[in-house]
Amino acid sequence: MTEDRYTVISADCHAGADLLDYKPYLASRHHEAFDAWAATYVNPYEDLLADTADRNWNSDRRIAELEADGIVAEVVFPNTIPPFFPSASLMAPAPTREEFELRWAGLRAHNRWLTDFCAAAPGRRAGVFQILLNDVDEAVAEIRRSVAAGLTGGLLLPGTPPGSGLPELHSSAYDPIWAACAELGVPVNHHAGSASPPLGEEPAARAVFMVETTWFSHRALWHLVFGGAFRRHPGLRLVLTEQGSGWIPGVLDMLDHYHARLVAATKPDTAGTAESKFGAGLADAMGKGPSEVWRENCFVGASFMRPHEAALRHRIGLDKIMWGSDYPHDEGTHPYSREGLRVAYAGLPRDEIAAMAGGNAARVYGFDLERLGRLAARVGPTVQELDEPLKEIPADATSPVFAPGGSVRVW
């Protein structure tokens, strides 16, 4: 934070190349297959066909629009269609054995493109690189290559929804991945949308997806906690992004309850009870309890945080919360991010706003706050501006932060 302006870092933005622009980033042996695939692929996403689609890859436009919105740096998650994928990679099901080679080539092409995209705005983009979980050794090699290439946003952890055929995230099969991320000091990011099973295309299925998608994404938290990933790799950091934040205190209470109950069931005076088998080995595998793991290892990318969530900031952990605009998505706060920040944070202490709006993201993703502060002195929202409650919602605003009402979700 500068003297009179906040340094705002969006911990949740999205980008990707225009489809044909991925070709130079593919190994030449895949070029013929790419040409055949691209010639017949029909993009299913209206926003990627609109005149504004170039927000995903037009670096100059993107910087100008983010600065106009008061944002000086961003964490960059994927958005467009990588080569050989049926849909955006975040939502795509795990590949079959036959699909793996080309899908893996497509993701690596995205990572290489993202390296150049981040390099076009030095110090202002933390690119989140992608892997597949089908081959752990290949995943670890790509983690090391991506970090060496300069991507500082860390790993995007795919989900393992029911029916995926992949080991669950609590499995020790993924230990080499956790070890590499802990060693290299990059976070493991788990973004909403990647862990839901296919539900079909009926109206009810789409409604059920909206109700359930965040819950399926939350599962990564208790899988890694109960699986002992943080005991074996104490330097591991997990970021849960665009999944809300108001659910966290209640879920941590629930996880602490189950942890205490299951561990207690294995003690000598209760051993042999019907419940003891569920806690067998859990204490040794986990180490610390869920709330302690959260305090030491976990963070939340709290995109378009709302007032009822901000009220829980101390229970969530003031040092855990990272605001995000979700640019360029329709549900994001652009071009009303200043107004969105006012809705969530007006009236809060200045140092708390500074932490949630940018300071925490700088610490997690390695941004240079002093350098960004010089940019924020020109474009950042003023302290006085964010202290003023928003009295009128912009008529064309589309972000949930501006929706009337709002209460703490069950998940």
Side-chain angles (χ1 to χ4, degrees), residues 278-301:
F278 291 100
L282 185 64
D284 290 338
M286 279 183 60
K288 299 171 182 175
S291 285
E292 192 171 0
V293 170
W294 175 266
R295 287 193 297 271
E296 295 185 5
N297 300 89
C298 302
F299 302 85
V300 58

Side-chain angles (χ1 to χ4, degrees), residues 60-325:
D60 291 341
R61 175 178 185 168
R62 191 178 182 98
I63 288 174
E65 291 193 352
L66 288 174
E67 286 189 356
D69 219 17
I71 297 166
V72 296
E74 57 175 330
V75 180
V76 186
F77 287 87
N79 199 44
T80 60
I81 314 296
F84 310 114
F85 270 70
S87 62
S89 55
L90 193 65
M91 305 287 288
T96 64
R97 184 172 299 176
E98 293 74 24
E99 293 170 330
F100 175 76
E101 181 183 357
L102 288 180
R103 290 264 207 103
W104 185 226
L107 278 195
R108 286 182 293 176
H110 173 81
N111 293 343
R112 294 185 182 106
W113 173 87
L114 184 61
T115 300
D116 286 348
F117 187 69
C118 291
R124 302 184 66 174
R125 293 176 181 147
V128 178
F129 50 85
Q130 299 183 79
I131 62 164
L132 292 170
L133 296 175
N134 305 63
D135 188 318
V136 170
D137 291 340
E138 285 282 347
V140 169
E142 184 62 15
I143 291 168
R144 295 190 179 281
R145 191 208 64 78
S146 296
V147 173
L151 292 178
T152 59
L155 167 72
L156 179 59
L157 177 64
T160 57
S164 70
L166 296 168
E168 294 283 3
L169 289 178
H170 60 68
S171 171
S172 60
Y174 302 125
D175 258 18
I177 293 174
W178 316 143
C181 289
E183 173 199 337
L184 297 169
V186 294
V188 171
N189 305 279
H190 192 57
H191 193 285
S194 68
S196 299
L199 295 168
E201 292 298 326
E202 296 182 12
R206 294 193 287 273
V208 168
F209 172 85
M210 289 299 295
V211 171
E212 293 182 343
T213 185
T214 52
W215 181 86
F216 275 107
S217 297
H218 300 344
R219 293 174 77 226
L221 173 62
W222 50 83
H223 275 241
L224 268 66
V225 168
F226 286 128
F230 300 101
R231 181 190 66 78
R232 296 188 298 276
H233 311 285
L236 182 66
R237 293 175 296 161
L238 176 67
V239 180
L240 302 174
T241 298
E242 203 179 331
Q243 305 176 28
S245 59
W247 59 275
I248 292 169
V251 166
L252 289 176
D253 288 345
M254 177 192 70
L255 297 180
D256 284 340
H257 166 75
Y258 276 110
H259 173 253
R261 175 175 154 188
L262 293 174
V263 169
T266 64
K267 294 180 178 178
D269 57 337
T270 54
T273 63
E275 201 164 66
S276 63
K277 63 182 179 181
F278 291 100
L282 185 64
D284 290 338
M286 279 183 60
K288 299 171 182 175
S291 285
E292 192 171 0
V293 170
W294 175 266
R295 287 193 297 271
E296 295 185 5
N297 300 89
C298 302
F299 302 85
V300 58
S303 307
F304 31 81
M305 200 172 189
R306 302 184 69 188
H308 61 277
E309 295 174 302
L312 296 169
R313 64 195 182 279
H314 293 293
R315 291 184 62 194
I316 297 166
L318 191 62
D319 60 336
K320 304 294 180 184
I321 297 167
M322 302 180 290
W323 178 88
S325 69

Side-chain angles (χ1 to χ4, degrees), residues 242 303-308 326 330-333 343 397-406:
E242 203 179 331
S303 307
F304 31 81
M305 200 172 189
R306 302 184 69 188
H308 61 277
D326 201 29
D330 290 341
E331 65 269 28
T333 52
V343 167
T398 54
S399 173
V401 75
F402 299 114

